[in-house]
Amino acid sequence: MTQVIHWNAEALWEAVAPQLPGFTVEILPSVDSSNTELMRRARSGDTAPTLLVAEQQTAGRGRMGKPWASSLGDSLMFSLGLPLAPSDWSGLSLAVGQVLAEALQPGIAPIADSPSATPRIGIKWPNDLWLEGDRKLAGILIETAHFGGHGPRQVIVGVGINVRPRHEQGLSTPPACLQDLDPRWDAPAALAAVIPALVNCLQRFETQGFAPFQPAFAQRDLLRGRPVRLSDGTQGMAEGVGLDGALLVRTAQGLERITSAEVSVRPQTAATAG
């Protein structure tokens, strides 16, 4: 029997359209990559605000071109494309990550009556959501392009969230899923939770940049206070992020500012930091 997912697209459209004129919602049974599809449309002149949900992707992409594959209903995979004109694009993936984490697990619930509560969903700079125990819950892929004229750039925010448990085979980071948080989660519920928040995030970022998101990001920053190794082999201690979203790393040469365009970062244990 063929599985059917009820996405409640009309209700989602009604929730978002008043603040995003021209907004449309499309559900595709299969596509190579939702980001790639929206980029193709933008290249042909269609830059209307569009949410594209892919039930299955045949060539989904994560950061640095890594594949993202999933069986029907196991993950939520979507891309949101729209024109955006912030004065500074720095820190956008961090703002998106913070807002998605808050939408999926609001607030910071106390743990064992401890006053220093810790969120279960954290953000691994610059664009992954991890669940407690350093397990990857979601990835974010943001692409921008300008196809001539004098209008704003087109931004495409691609998100992949594990909903159900998945096998670890072939994955560099152990996976987590929303059902680890609550077994009642499914892909449509996750979509309804994150899209209005994501639209608000993009509109706020356009006018205010990353700075207003920084305090909330800091509460979910998984790298702060941990030894890290940069892709060029440099090692140091992560000390949070700047107002522009740059990762601050204390190395032997002093405090360095790292941007997502320059490096990938992997957390490491103190035993292997040397």
Side-chain angles (χ1 to χ4, degrees), residues 107-123:
I108 298 179
I111 297 177
D113 298 322
S114 169
S116 56
T118 303
R120 295 185 67 188
I121 298 179
I123 306 166

Side-chain angles (χ1 to χ4, degrees), residues 126-272:
N127 52 8
D128 286 343
L129 300 186
W130 282 12
L131 197 60
E132 54 204 357
D134 288 355
R135 297 179 297 140
K136 184 173 178 177
L137 174 66
I140 300 162
L141 176 64
I142 297 179
E143 299 176 288
T144 69
H146 196 271
F147 299 106
H150 303 285
R153 294 180 68 84
Q154 186 80 352
V155 62
I156 299 172
V157 179
V159 176
I161 304 172
N162 296 329
V163 176
R164 300 171 181 162
R166 61 182 299 182
H167 297 296
E168 297 187 23
Q169 186 174 1
L171 300 177
S172 59
T173 304
C177 69
L178 285 178
Q179 291 186 353
D180 291 335
L181 284 169
D182 188 327
R184 294 172 294 182
W185 273 115
D186 61 18
L191 185 70
V194 301
I195 293 303
L198 177 56
V199 171
N200 285 331
C201 167
L202 295 176
Q203 293 181 330
R204 187 181 184 197
F205 184 90
E206 184 174 37
T207 59
Q208 302 179 47
F210 174 69
F213 298 91
Q214 187 203 32
F217 178 90
Q219 292 182 306
R220 297 182 184 267
D221 185 353
L222 286 175
L223 295 185
R224 188 183 183 100
R226 296 175 64 172
V228 295
R229 182 190 299 271
L230 309 185
S231 57
D232 63 1
T234 301
Q235 299 179 51
M237 186 70 68
E239 295 190 0
V241 302
L243 289 175
D244 61 352
L247 179 66
L248 308 178
V249 180
R250 181 73 61 180
T251 71
Q253 289 71 43
L255 188 65
E256 298 191 22
R257 298 172 56 82
I258 311 301
T259 71
S260 59
E262 296 171 354
V263 299
S264 62
V265 181
R266 292 285 184 264
Q268 57 189 87
T269 64
T272 61

